[in-house]
């Protein structure tokens, strides 16, 4: 089984993005799961194209996109991607779309297809603050999450997909005063739990389908 995990480059004046740092630290193999990674540009125009290219190269069974949500205190596994671009700041290409759709004539929203509740329960029992989130915002992370689920929903690609928002690193929060943070080790541990729970559930589904056919 193959997983593709993506992070983003730095944006909005930050020097680093903890999502790409964490993704680059992932082990390439976890049991029978082979883990591929890619770093996406924080760009409305280029991120989904880069994601689509990585999905076509890897042909993954599981796709987890990871991005920074500065100010959140928990690992936030997103439930829903909305068909809206409404940017509070400019992206890395200087673009700031307001009230525009991600995909013209696409559905209003898509749900994640990773087992989000089981992943959150497992992260919590491993001692990590984690929660299901009902909004990935309306910036580039939501854009990529929507594009990901649109690829799975409307095109002939069969993978389970989802999005994890992560807090600032402690070294970022130290510059901000009062912002919550999480260590890179804990973020990596959280991502690995999401992958292993998702891989186990995907295997279960396949075994059950195999029995039926
Ligand atoms: N976070 C931004 C985009 C890139 C990232 O890491 C967001 O939440 O939309």
């Amino acid at each position: 089984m193959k997983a593709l995990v993506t992070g983003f480059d730095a944006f909005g004046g930050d020097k680093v993005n903890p999502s790409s740092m964490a993704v680059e630290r992932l082990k390439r193999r976890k049991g029978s799961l082979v883990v591929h990674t890619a770093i996406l540009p924080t760009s409305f125009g280029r991120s989904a194209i880069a994601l689509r290219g990585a999905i076509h190269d890897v042909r993954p069974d599981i796709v987890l996109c990871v991005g920074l949500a500065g100010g959140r205190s928990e690992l936030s596994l997103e439930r829903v991607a909305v068909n809206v671009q409404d940017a509070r700041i400019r992206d890395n290409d200087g673009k700031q779309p307001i009230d525009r759709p991600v995909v013209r004539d696409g559905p209003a929203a898509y749900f994640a297809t990773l087992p989000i509740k089981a992943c959150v329960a497992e992260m919590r029992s491993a001692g990590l603050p984690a929660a299901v989130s009902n909004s990935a915002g309306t910036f580039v992370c939501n854009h990529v999450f929507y594009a990901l689920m649109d690829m799975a929903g409307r095109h002939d690609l069969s993978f389970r997909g989802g999005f994890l928002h992560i807090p600032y690193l402690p070294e970022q929060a130290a510059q901000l005063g009062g912002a919550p943070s999480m260590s890179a080790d804990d973020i990596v541990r959280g991502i690995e739990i999401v992958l292993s729970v998702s891989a186990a559930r995907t295997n279960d589904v396949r075994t059950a389908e195999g029995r039926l056919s």
Side-chain angles (χ1 to χ4, degrees):
M1 193 176 294
K2 287 183 282 186
L4 172 66
V5 189
T6 68
F8 283 99
D9 62 4
F11 67 100
D14 285 344
K15 288 197 186 64
V16 296
N17 190 322
S19 66
S20 53
M21 293 175 66
V23 164
E24 276 159 2
R25 285 175 52 170
L26 291 173
K27 292 193 192 76
R28 301 291 147 202
R29 184 178 269 279
K30 211 169 184 296
S32 61
L33 185 70
V34 178
V35 178
H36 296 259
T37 61
I39 305 305
L40 307 178
T42 303
S43 151
F44 284 100
R46 294 179 289 127
S47 52
I49 295 166
L51 176 64
R52 199 169 298 124
I55 288 173
H56 278 282
D57 289 348
V58 172
R59 299 270 154 192
D61 304 282
I62 293 165
V63 183
L64 177 67
C65 299
V66 184
L68 168 69
R72 292 207 195 173
S73 57
E74 299 178 300
L75 294 165
S76 305
L77 204 45
E78 300 293 347
R79 189 199 301 263
V80 57
V82 294
N83 194 10
V84 175
Q85 300 174 334
D86 196 32
R88 187 180 45 83
I89 57 170
R90 290 180 188 282
D91 72 5
N92 286 352
D93 295 333
K95 296 285 190 319
Q96 190 172 9
I98 307 288
D99 294 340
R100 294 236 297 269
V102 179
V103 174
R104 208 180 317 127
D105 301 327
Y110 285 113
F111 290 121
T113 48
L114 297 181
I116 56 173
K117 291 275 172 82
C119 292
V120 165
E122 196 63 30
M123 287 192 277
R124 286 185 172 174
S125 59
L128 297 169
V132 168
S133 161
N134 292 307
S135 175
T138 51
F139 192 50
V140 179
C141 287
N142 172 75
H143 171 88
V144 157
F145 183 21
Y146 186 95
L148 172 71
M149 301 319 300
D150 191 62
M151 281 177 233
R154 295 207 295 177
H155 304 280
D156 200 20
L157 294 164
S158 72
F159 56 79
R160 296 183 98 176
F163 197 100
L164 182 71
H165 261 131
I166 61 174
Y168 283 127
L169 295 170
E171 46 272 43
Q172 293 181 292
Q175 305 303 315
L176 295 167
S181 65
M182 187 177 285
S183 73
D185 283 352
D186 282 351
I187 294 170
V188 169
R189 218 148 52 85
I191 295 171
E192 283 176 344
I193 289 171
V194 173
L195 294 179
S196 55
V197 171
S198 300
R201 294 280 172 127
T202 304
N203 253 335
D204 288 352
V205 170
R206 286 194 179 158
T207 309
E209 281 169 355
R211 272 195 214 109
L212 290 174
S213 60

